[in-house]
Amino acid sequence: RTASRHLPGLFRKAAAIAAGAIRYGQDRDLFGGKTFTVKQISEEFGISASSLNKYYQELLEFSTVAV
C-alpha cells in the first residue's frame, strides 16, 4: 500500500503521477461515482498531498492543450 515511501525518487515520482491521474479521472467521473479524498489517494500511494496536487495540476494543463 505505502511501499513507494521506501523506493528511490523515480518510483516515487511514478506513484505521484499515478495518484494525480486517479484524482483527474475521479473529477471526470471515470470511476462510476466512486470518490476518494486527496488524503485517501495520497496515503494509498505513499506520497504527499502536495505531490498529488502537483501532478493533478499538470494533467489539467495538459488536457487543455489544443491538439
Side-chain angles (χ1 to χ4, degrees):
R1 184 189 280 198
T2 57
S4 65
R5 288 186 178 161
H6 305 289
L7 297 174
L10 180 60
F11 294 103
R12 287 183 56 98
K13 182 176 180 180
I17 293 168
I22 295 295
R23 181 170 174 209
Y24 180 87
Q26 175 180 280
D27 286 353
R28 276 140 191 83
D29 198 28
L30 299 178
F31 305 125
K34 183 93 171 148
T35 60
F36 310 95
T37 65
V38 169
K39 182 179 178 184
Q40 288 173 314
I41 298 169
S42 62
E43 286 179 354
E44 186 67 28
F45 283 89
I47 60 162
S48 68
S50 62
S51 290
L52 183 159
N53 284 324
K54 173 185 173 183
Y55 290 101
Y56 169 71
Q57 291 298 323
E58 287 187 13
L59 284 168
L60 284 178
E61 290 176 24
F62 181 76
S63 70
T64 60
V65 174
V67 179

